[in-house]
Amino acid sequence: MIGGPYEGLIATKPMPEKINESLHCEEGKSSLKEWKGVRLCKKIKNQLVEYNSLPSYLRDNEYILGYYRSEWPLKHTILSVFSIHNETLNVWTHLIGFFLFLFLTIYTAMKAPTVVDFNSLQHLPKMIGTADLNKIRLHLLNCLPSLPNMPDLLNFKNELSTSLYSLDFSSLPSWNVVELLTNCLPEQLSINVVKDDMVDILSPSAVQPITRWPFFVFLGGAMFCLLASSTCHLLACHSQSLSYIMLRFDYAGISALIATSFYPPVYYSFMCNPFFCFLYLGFITLIGTATIAFSLLPFFQKPWFRKYRASLFFLMGFSGVVPIIHKLILHKDRPEALQTTGYEILMGILYGLGAVIYATRIPERWMPGKFDIAGHSHQLFHVLVVAGAYTHYQDGLVYLKWRDMKGC
Ligand SMILES: [Zn+2]
């Protein structure tokens, strides 16, 4: 039996056929009695039910005993995003994750350094003629002591004090140089044009942003997965046909997330070795597409296939070990190779733990009915997926900074 604060909302038994037949759930009834009947009918239709009352296609986890929505009208199913049932947290964990990644995508697109406009260098003689270089040098020297006492910045200062022309920015991370100049100069110089010119003059040797498309492919995959999952959890209970469509979307989303997660590490690790770059990216694209196609087959969604399904996703992700080891061998002298591997191991742990919890249905199998609303395995799995994807986002940022600075 279901207890707690939602007890009154739950139909503990399926509606007897006789009662259902006596209620004509049609609009446009004129008499008060019939109008009341319609309201009662709607109320009963939208009650939460127990596992035993579910049609077979909605029976997925026998350890979650109650708070099920079953074949509600579409409008009420959509509006149930704002009510409490056993899918509420499944919907919201990935909906919040979707908005997080939408924000990260916009933020990353805006944060990326602008590509240097080499045409501006044509005006270099004119700019040098009009800019007071001595004034700029003095302002920079006044501005810099307030910054952290880093060895790179000390070099920067020393070089500034001799000449602006002989500056070597290659030892400084490119983003820092641009940030340094843009943060430092506005307050000190009254002519904004001079500031922009300075950034343009000084940055060509430092800012050579690498292409972002592999990073955005991953962000797109993550957003698709999170939104597909959230929508699936919200709508799958409406009808058998919608449930099949939604579950396919959900599995396709997971496959897309895993496959697109390979893009940033593989591309930025092997961008100077096109053969391996295409080999690894080709492999995961092929496997990802095959898994999406495979997930469209009906048996893929059967409850008995749960462990195989989890194993398939697990193996797909685990195949990432090969390019990671290859990267470590190829870039053994780069600290970024080690740093990114650390993030990738953490991501693997988070996803792996999520897959184990998903397949074993822990903790609800130990106390059936106690985790119906909050704390059951699927919710934990969702949180671990968002955490894993966010770890991968941080991993991607390390790659971008590395390649922006060093190129190929
Ligand atoms: Zn899910």
Side-chain angles (χ1 to χ4, degrees), residues 90 94 229 233 250 254 358 378 381-382:
N90 285 331
H94 273 182
S229 164
H233 283 287
D250 196 15
I254 296 169
Y358 169 86
H378 207 91
F381 164 67
H382 273 202

